[in-house]
Amino acid sequence: MDRADSRASNFVETTRLEVLSDGVFAIIITLLVLEIHRPTAVPGKLVEELLKEWPSYLAYAVAFIYIGVIWLNHHYMFARLCKVDLTLNWLNLGILGTAALIPFPTGVLAGAFRDGDLLDQKAAVVLYALVAGLMSAAWLPVFRHLHRHPKLVKPDVPPGMFATQLIRPTLGVLLYVFAGVIGWFVHPAAAVAIFIFMVAYYAWTSQGVHSRNHIERAVPERTECDAA
């Protein structure tokens, strides 16, 4: 009985972790606006200087949507959980930490397209691909952990649901590596196109991908959440 109580004490509600995560995402989105620089223009040149900042505006818009999409993926993942354990707490920090890095390469990328030459733009897209690839990779151990510990998952979630989700961050890592390579050896604009595609892909799959065996399947026999 004591051993069962000890195991139960290792699981806690998701509320505090969700509040922490939402707060981090809110701060990250707020920091993005700092990458839009206020122009210093001589009289009569303000419009021209504002137009020169177009890379900052585009980078802000894409990054804002991207952070929002990451939050949506995070939200829908936690919507399928009823408990968290210590390992999941640590793994979640990996997602938050890599997502928090997004404003840095976003600002570097905007600056390179605004003021830099082709070599600067190549370096910027490689940096962005590296950080975004790390962000995608941070989801891999999370999905694997949830697949191996079904007691954390709500009873109505089909078994193998989180194993199926591994395809998304795996594809993300591969495409970001490809974007870095093509951005350096072909043209930075091609990498930027892949970056935008990845935002759309993660938005489209924000509620998860479903195999045919998992769609609309319930698992009433799994009641560990209620027992915990």
Side-chain angles (χ1 to χ4, degrees):
M1 186 68 179
D2 292 339
R3 184 177 300 177
D5 292 340
S6 177
R7 285 199 302 267
S9 67
N10 292 330
F11 303 108
V12 296
E13 299 293 333
T14 63
T15 306
R16 293 194 66 185
L17 191 56
E18 291 182 81
V19 170
L20 168 67
S21 300
D22 288 347
V24 171
F25 283 120
I27 293 172
I28 296 171
I29 282 182
T30 303
L31 291 177
L32 287 174
V33 75
L34 300 179
E35 299 300 333
I36 300 180
H37 301 287
R38 181 185 305 172
T40 55
V42 297
K45 296 290 184 178
L46 181 58
V47 173
E48 180 180 344
E49 292 298 321
L50 286 172
L51 292 176
K52 286 182 180 179
E53 293 290 329
W54 71 265
S56 297
Y57 308 146
L58 178 60
Y60 171 79
V62 173
F64 186 95
I65 296 172
Y66 195 16
I67 297 299
V69 166
I70 297 172
W71 176 82
L72 281 175
N73 280 266
H74 192 271
H75 167 73
Y76 285 120
M77 179 181 72
F78 271 84
R80 296 182 170 100
L81 306 183
C82 58
K83 300 288 182 181
V84 298
D85 59 6
L86 179 61
T87 301
L88 185 58
N89 273 285
W90 280 106
L91 294 177
N92 185 68
L93 290 178
I95 293 177
L96 299 181
T98 52
L101 290 173
I102 295 296
F104 168 59
T106 298
V108 172
L109 189 63
F113 275 86
R114 183 183 61 245
D115 304 319
D117 57 13
L118 184 61
L119 186 60
D120 293 332
Q121 295 169 11
K122 288 182 176 182
V125 296
V126 169
L127 174 64
Y128 191 99
L130 174 63
V131 173
L134 288 174
M135 188 280 302
S136 292
W139 291 81
L140 290 170
V142 175
F143 289 147
R144 185 174 302 169
H145 180 72
L146 292 174
H147 174 62
R148 293 179 176 178
H149 297 82
K151 289 185 178 181
L152 304 176
V153 182
K154 290 180 178 178
D156 59 345
V157 176
M161 174 68 181
F162 285 105
T164 305
Q165 305 315 307
L166 287 167
I167 186 63
R168 295 193 294 138
T170 301
L171 180 61
V173 171
L174 293 176
L175 284 179
Y176 280 124
V177 170
F178 177 70
V181 172
I182 199 173
W184 183 266
F185 291 104
V186 180
H187 198 280
V192 173
I194 296 176
F195 298 157
I196 295 175
F197 168 78
M198 288 308 304
V199 175
Y201 172 73
Y202 282 138
W204 178 53
T205 61
S206 60
Q207 296 188 54
V209 293
H210 303 268
S211 70
R212 291 183 179 180
N213 293 331
H214 296 160
I215 297 176
E216 299 299 330
R217 283 186 58 191
V219 210
E221 68 274 15
R222 280 195 16 240
T223 58
E224 290 90 342
C225 282
D226 299 330

